[in-house]
Amino acid sequence: MTPKISIIIPSFNKAKYIEKTLFSIFDQSYRNFEVLVQDGGSTDGTLQIIKKYKIRYPRQIFYESKKDGGQLDAINTGLKLATGDIVTYINADDAYCDGAFEAVVG
């Protein structure tokens, strides 16, 4: 069985960037993953973008938006929720290269 990858995304007011981040994840050919977006209560349109992906990929993306203690708090919350065999995080303004997940699982 292929290992499941959990990707945690800490986010706060990243509407300008988060779509590229999410696209880089969902464009991977490796499909056994979950995305956990821990948003700190964005007010700039970030949530609308996340919700669009939630509609497209309801079984793979999970999100929560509430005031938190910052990036480290968001990552720690995501770690508690992650169910994957491999756990990682990516900032909401970064992107994965093509083939990144295949390279990790070997």
Side-chain angles (χ1 to χ4, degrees), residues 7-11 14-15 17-28 31 33-38 45-54 56-57 60-63 90-96 101:
I7 304 112
I8 301 161
I9 304 175
S11 173
K14 294 292 184 180
Y17 306 102
I18 197 164
E19 185 143 27
K20 183 176 180 182
T21 304
L22 291 170
F23 181 83
S24 79
I25 293 168
F26 286 98
D27 195 43
Q28 297 288 320
R31 303 307 303 164
F33 63 82
E34 67 181 358
V35 177
L36 306 155
V37 182
Q38 293 302 126
T46 299
L47 292 177
Q48 287 76 10
I49 296 166
I50 295 168
K51 289 175 183 178
K52 179 172 73 171
Y53 276 81
K54 177 67 175 171
R56 286 187 202 161
Y57 307 101
Q60 284 184 287
I61 188 167
F62 308 93
Y63 72 94
I90 186 169
N91 289 320
D93 58 358
D94 290 329
Y96 285 109
F101 296 174

Side-chain angles (χ1 to χ4, degrees), residues 61-96:
I61 188 167
F62 308 93
Y63 72 94
E64 179 177 48
S65 182
K66 65 178 184 177
K67 186 173 172 67
D68 59 25
Q71 183 176 11
L72 186 57
D73 185 37
I75 293 168
N76 283 330
T77 300
L79 287 171
K80 292 174 189 170
L81 298 172
T83 63
D85 304 298
I86 299 168
V87 180
T88 187
Y89 82 90
I90 186 169
N91 289 320
D93 58 358
D94 290 329
Y96 285 109

